[in-house]
Amino acid sequence: MRKRETQILDLLGAKKKITVLELAEQFKVSDVTIRKDLAVLEEKGLLKREHGFATLPESDDISTRLLFNYETKRRIAKKALESVTDGETLMIESGSCCALLAEEIVLNRRGVTLITNSVFIANFLREKIGTRIILLGGEFQNESQVMVGPLIKKCAENFSVEKFFMGTDGFNEAGAMSGDLMRAEAVRNMAESARRKIILTDSKKFSSASIVPLLPYKEIDSIYTDEKISDDKKNFLAEHGIQIILPEVK
């Protein structure tokens, strides 16, 4: 994705609605150029175009969550990409950082197989080539665009991978948390098929507790986050044997 497109997403995430004229003035380009950028982003499901302006998607689904702190999440995803090699098979779930990592993998690695419960990721990457996507079966959860339920466990049991990348909605004293019971269950079932459990999240999630246990700290191997994580949090996680990996500061 081009730099101007990521900047448009950051602006839209902050303002919720922005006009073509504002964007053209902001980036010192023509209305036609901005409309082309918006068309590309709408095709990816990242925004909605109206007459003369762009808005966030209507529901609080993953397309909407992807916009908040977009550039930070993109940097986290790029850093996590460094741990992925050509020809690897890995699992990845439906968080917004995970979706961006999946895109980075498709663009920059060859022969990778992604095993996922995310219909959003499968659709997000549908026109890309070079990566095999295996979509786990289950009950379709509309807003988050993921497969959940007992079939996930049965499907995931057929695989054994080195790495499982996942998102989180927050943390408490016991571990990572989720805001959805069925999604949390799906993540735990997928985690059983991976040797290493890796969380991708922006640092704001360390100030959110959420409501459903996702994974205890003892099962988390590493966390990719941004440089705004506090020293207290880093020390706490280090005491639990968790590696904290940060992207380069620009």
Side-chain angles (χ1 to χ4, degrees):
M1 189 177 292
R2 293 178 302 174
K3 182 177 180 180
R4 188 172 61 243
E5 292 172 358
T6 65
Q7 291 173 331
I8 288 172
L9 292 177
D10 273 341
L11 287 170
L12 186 57
K15 294 188 174 184
K16 313 299 186 290
K17 178 178 177 179
I18 192 164
T19 68
V20 171
L21 180 59
E22 286 179 273
L23 290 171
E25 292 176 348
Q26 173 79 22
F27 296 107
K28 296 180 173 56
V29 296
S30 69
D31 291 4
V32 172
T33 297
I34 291 297
R35 291 181 193 280
K36 288 180 179 178
D37 290 341
L38 296 181
V40 170
L41 295 171
E42 184 181 46
E43 175 66 22
K44 291 185 175 183
L46 298 175
L47 55 77
K48 182 179 179 182
R49 287 192 298 164
E50 303 285 352
H51 183 67
F53 59 87
T55 64
L56 295 175
E58 291 179 357
S59 61
D60 186 24
D61 62 10
I62 187 171
S63 299
T64 304
R65 296 197 306 272
L66 199 57
L67 297 182
F68 294 101
N69 301 314
Y70 182 87
E71 186 56 37
T72 295
K73 292 175 180 177
R74 173 64 73 181
R75 290 194 298 116
I76 292 169
K78 285 180 176 292
K79 187 64 179 178
L81 175 70
E82 295 176 6
S83 71
V84 179
T85 59
D86 289 347
E88 189 170 2
T89 296
L90 54 87
M91 280 189 173
I92 188 166
E93 67 98 31
S94 61
S96 51
C97 284
C98 290
L100 294 174
L101 172 60
E103 184 178 36
E104 290 293 333
I105 290 170
V106 169
L107 294 174
N108 297 286
R109 297 291 183 267
R110 291 292 175 265
V112 173
T113 298
L114 297 180
I115 303 167
T116 185
N117 68 327
S118 173
V119 177
F120 178 85
I121 286 177
N123 188 57
F124 194 52
L125 304 178
R126 69 188 186 278
E127 294 181 358
K128 305 294 192 298
I129 59 173
T131 298
R132 182 186 183 199
I133 298 176
I134 298 175
L135 185 61
L136 299 176
E139 177 185 345
F140 180 60
Q141 195 178 68
N142 189 46
E143 284 205 348
S144 58
Q145 299 184 51
V146 297
M147 309 303 286
V148 297
L151 279 177
I152 289 292
K153 181 176 179 63
K154 290 187 176 296
C155 291
E157 287 174 345
N158 292 295
F159 301 97
S160 179
V161 299
E162 173 69 14
K163 305 184 190 83
F164 173 39
F165 293 98
M166 72 195 82
T168 182
D169 293 326
F171 296 87
N172 68 4
E173 67 280 356
M177 304 290 287
S178 174
D180 184 276
L181 178 63
M182 295 188 74
R183 178 182 165 191
E185 181 182 46
V187 168
R188 289 193 296 270
N189 289 334
M190 293 170 70
E192 291 177 4
S193 296
R195 193 178 74 81
R196 294 174 56 200
K197 291 80 170 174
I198 304 165
I199 289 179
L200 276 60
T201 183
D202 64 85
S203 59
K204 290 186 177 182
K205 296 293 179 61
F206 290 101
S207 301
S208 303
S210 205
I211 58 173
V212 181
L214 188 66
L215 279 184
Y217 288 119
K218 66 181 181 180
E219 294 186 21
I220 301 169
D221 293 279
S222 55
I223 298 177
Y224 285 82
T225 188
D226 62 80
E227 64 280 357
K228 292 183 180 179
I229 181 175
S230 69
D231 289 339
D232 287 346
K233 293 293 185 184
K234 284 193 286 188
N235 292 335
F236 175 82
L237 294 168
E239 289 172 1
H240 285 80
I242 299 172
Q243 183 183 22
I244 300 299
I245 305 168
L246 308 178
E248 292 77 12
V249 179
K250 292 185 177 181

